[in-house]
Amino acid sequence: GRAQIGVTGLAVMGRNLARNFARNGYTVAVHNRTYGRTRDLVEQFGGEGDFVPAETAEEFVAALERPRRVMIMVKAGGPTDTVIEEFAELLEPGDVIIDGGNAHFEDTRRREAALRERGLHFVGTGVSGGEEGALNGPSIMPGGSPESYESLGPMLERIAARAPDGTPCTTHVGPDGAGHFVKMVHNGIEYADMQLIAEAYQLLRDVAGYAPDEIADIFRGWNEGRLGSYLIEITAEVLTHTDAATGAPFVDVVADRAEQKGTGRWTVQTALGLGTPVPGIAEAVFARSLSGHTELRTAASPLPGPQRTPMGRDEAADFADGVERSLYASKVISYAQGWDMIRAGSEEYDWHIDLSDVAAIWRAGCIIRARFLDRIRAAFTSDPWLPTLLADPEFAKELGEAQYAWRDVVAASVRNGVPAPGMSSALAYYDGLRAPRLPAALLQAQRDYFGAHTYQRTDREGTFHTLWGGDREEIRTDGG
Ligand code: NBP
């Protein structure tokens, strides 16, 4: 065999990744369950590089140099298991199977363990950037053994996106499911980012009274500054688009029900299991869910909201400035929650994920690519043990500077009846973490009252219970 890599599963993602490898000078074996897709790929794009089309799995495996590298790009779930099993049968110890689909990291852990038993390397890898990224350079988040990265890493580094400083947006994230875990959190952060941008839009529209094309201009301005990112850029593009059929702003003709494929939900479910607070991501998942509940929305639609007072031009411009601060501060909070979760996952599964590397490989190629990821990289480079992004001196300073505008914007959302669950929850997280005292003290006392769940004291060591039903004497329950 002479192909350095094989790609099986040639729908949009697989086809574009195969082309990306070929354009970078690799000989690529290509295979798909239905041969038509393989033939189409070679007919349409054969001129871009060196493809070896294979009709059967056996031909495909025979076309590969050793150790063989087989990248699977099929539908996540059952189909991925089927295809892994099909190829595992044909491969030999030392060969590498790569799953670039959107697998749940627990599935990746299971598959990696099973294939390791059979002497095969299994690399579950996150791939972000959609179709376009797959073709021109995605952000790639591979897990698996260090040995598999030695064999595969240089190829991934060639096809990955490049950060502004020229470094490839891929790295060995960690063992077994680490890559898919980090990809999952990426998607969770993406949900939060999108929700916050959407809230900023709605506040500019309903509170400040701007039209969609004016909001597009405001976003374009923000895109030049610290909020500069792919998502802000495409939001401005969407807001300038006019619907051809009606002549109305496109955003006004799209049904306001947001769908989801499930990676945001996975992030929140996993965070609940890890005991990591990610309320910003959770609010974003729930906001999509709420939007889709037409029956609830219809039933609640007669409920009264507050009277809104229109803003003058100057007031609106000031408000827009406050929304920028509020969006930025809330975004920092979402990323702080995401990184907290990556650290928690890394500790739970013993992955030793480098937190600054994660920021580095998201600087280009992926959906959340943004200017400020370089600052997150810098924060974790200067202090790998930084407990939270909020404690980084620069982010802390910016949050402090944003806080009054942030509070005003959240207050305006409440006063005007324009929901901003992402921004308000981000502010509550900020205030929650910095609070010298939380009402958790009262909660714990309630728990002790009804369930004898005990409590600790602020003034001395030990575990205590108050005999609430009796004379309220305090007893020590830890034998001290
Ligand atoms: P799809 O997720 O739509 O999957 C289609 C591919 O799976 C086809 O090649 C199809 O073969 C193959 N397949 C199926 Br379905 N069942 C199979 C089976 N039992 N045995 C063999 N092959 C089977 O493709 P996609 O949108 O290109 O995505 C590929 C993976 O990448 C997915 O896991 C996806 O979640 C992930 N991903 C997608 C994006 C994105 O932006 N779309 C981004 C990042 C990751 P056929 O041609 O014979 O039907």
Side-chain angles (χ1 to χ4, degrees):
R2 63 189 179 86
Q4 288 124 323
I5 187 138
V7 179
T8 180
L10 302 174
V12 281
M13 291 298 287
R15 181 183 63 193
N16 283 357
L17 281 170
R19 291 172 62 197
N20 189 346
F21 279 117
R23 288 170 169 197
N24 277 287
Y26 295 111
T27 300
V28 189
V30 284
H31 172 264
N32 191 68
R33 174 178 63 178
T34 316
Y35 184 62
R37 282 198 203 268
T38 313
R39 195 181 46 225
D40 288 352
L41 165 60
V42 176
E43 274 172 13
Q44 286 183 59
F45 306 107
E48 292 182 355
D50 198 0
F51 295 99
V52 184
E55 225 173 316
T56 66
E58 289 78 7
E59 276 171 48
F60 177 69
V61 168
L64 296 166
E65 69 172 34
R66 295 186 194 185
R68 302 181 185 88
R69 303 178 194 95
V70 172
M71 183 154 197
I72 299 174
M73 288 307 293
V74 303
K75 204 180 220 23
T80 302
D81 277 315
T82 307
V83 176
I84 289 173
E85 194 42 48
E86 181 181 4
F87 286 99
E89 290 285 314
L90 300 172
L91 296 175
E92 291 171 308
D95 289 348
V96 187
I97 296 181
I98 305 122
D99 172 22
N102 259 337
H104 193 286
F105 76 97
E106 294 279 16
D107 286 336
T108 302
R109 283 169 58 74
R110 167 177 60 77
R111 290 165 181 155
E112 197 274 339
L115 290 170
R116 193 172 352 117
E117 293 270 295
R118 297 159 75 170
L120 296 169
H121 292 289
F122 181 70
V123 176
T125 183
V127 178
S128 179
E131 276 183 62
E132 208 271 338
L135 182 62
N136 296 315
S139 172
I140 312 177
M141 296 149 246
S145 64
E147 302 91 284
S148 62
Y149 192 80
E150 268 172 43
S151 136
L152 186 67
M155 301 182 71
L156 298 182
E157 287 166 20
R158 282 273 284 282
I159 68 156
R162 285 184 184 275
D165 67 5
T167 43
C169 289
T170 187
T171 186
H172 181 230
V173 174
D176 60 81
H180 273 136
F181 181 92
V182 159
K183 170 69 194 320
M184 175 185 76
V185 177
H186 166 283
N187 286 27
I189 293 174
E190 173 187 315
Y191 273 56
D193 243 347
M194 292 170 71
Q195 174 64 24
L196 293 170
I197 294 171
E199 291 175 12
Y201 152 78
Q202 199 71 49
L203 289 165
L204 291 172
R205 189 129 189 218
D206 290 349
V207 178
Y210 286 113
D213 59 333
E214 294 174 306
I215 301 173
D217 282 340
I218 293 170
F219 278 23
R220 275 200 212 93
W222 292 353
N223 198 41
E224 297 305 310
R226 59 187 178 170
L227 280 169
S229 62
Y230 172 71
L231 284 170
I232 291 282
E233 185 189 320
I234 66 163
T235 305
E237 288 292 312
V238 170
L239 290 173
T240 50
H241 184 53
T242 301
D243 177 52
T246 60
F250 176 70
V251 68
D252 289 346
V253 300
V254 178
D256 62 347
R257 294 185 296 273
E259 297 175 358
Q260 43 187 319
K261 286 210 275 182
T263 44
R265 183 167 54 227
W266 287 353
T267 312
V268 178
Q269 286 169 334
T270 304
L272 290 172
L274 289 168
T276 310
V278 293
I281 300 170
E283 287 294 352
V285 174
F286 283 131
R288 288 197 193 189
S289 161
L290 182 147
S291 78
H293 278 283
T294 314
E295 75 297 356
L296 300 181
R297 293 176 61 188
T298 306
S301 62
L303 294 173
Q307 196 71 42
R308 291 183 200 149
T309 11
M311 279 186 177
R313 289 313 276 181
D314 289 350
E315 198 189 347
D318 280 351
F319 183 72
D321 182 58
V323 173
E324 190 272 345
R325 290 162 193 265
S326 182
L327 175 55
Y328 182 76
S330 303
K331 183 177 164 98
V332 171
I333 298 292
S334 302
Y335 283 67
Q337 293 170 7
W339 256 266
D340 188 28
M341 181 168 174
I342 294 171
R343 187 201 306 273
S346 182
E347 280 170 9
E348 173 72 20
Y349 299 102
D350 207 17
W351 283 328
H352 300 274
I353 297 175
D354 182 319
L355 298 178
S356 83
D357 277 358
V358 175
I361 67 171
W362 289 349
R363 286 177 299 172
C366 65
I367 304 297
I368 66 167
R369 60 187 184 259
R371 190 162 294 149
F372 100 130
L373 280 160
D374 206 40
R375 308 245 329 269
I376 299 181
R377 184 194 58 76
F380 284 110
T381 304
S382 69
D383 182 3
W385 302 108
L386 191 66
T388 165
L389 265 190
L390 275 63
D392 172 70
E394 286 189 41
F395 284 121
K397 182 164 169 281
E398 285 180 315
L399 289 170
E401 284 163 3
Q403 67 146 333
Y404 287 106
W406 192 8
R407 294 180 195 286
D408 284 346
V409 167
V410 170
S413 91
V414 173
R415 249 189 343 263
N416 288 279
V418 179
M423 288 185 189
S424 9
S425 133
L427 183 54
Y429 181 89
Y430 173 83
D431 283 333
L433 284 194
R434 63 167 199 87
R437 286 284 291 165
L438 287 171
L442 179 56
L443 265 166
Q444 194 57 23
Q446 291 167 330
R447 297 183 71 244
D448 188 60
Y449 190 105
F450 67 68
H453 293 303
T454 74
Y455 52 88
Q456 263 109 43
R457 299 181 54 98
T458 55
D459 55 353
R460 57 199 146 90
E461 291 292 301
T463 303
F464 303 90
H465 169 54
T466 290
L467 301 169
W468 295 101
D471 59 1
R472 305 205 165 174
E473 186 199 343
E474 180 174 85
I475 55 170
R476 193 161 174 181
T477 62
D478 61 343

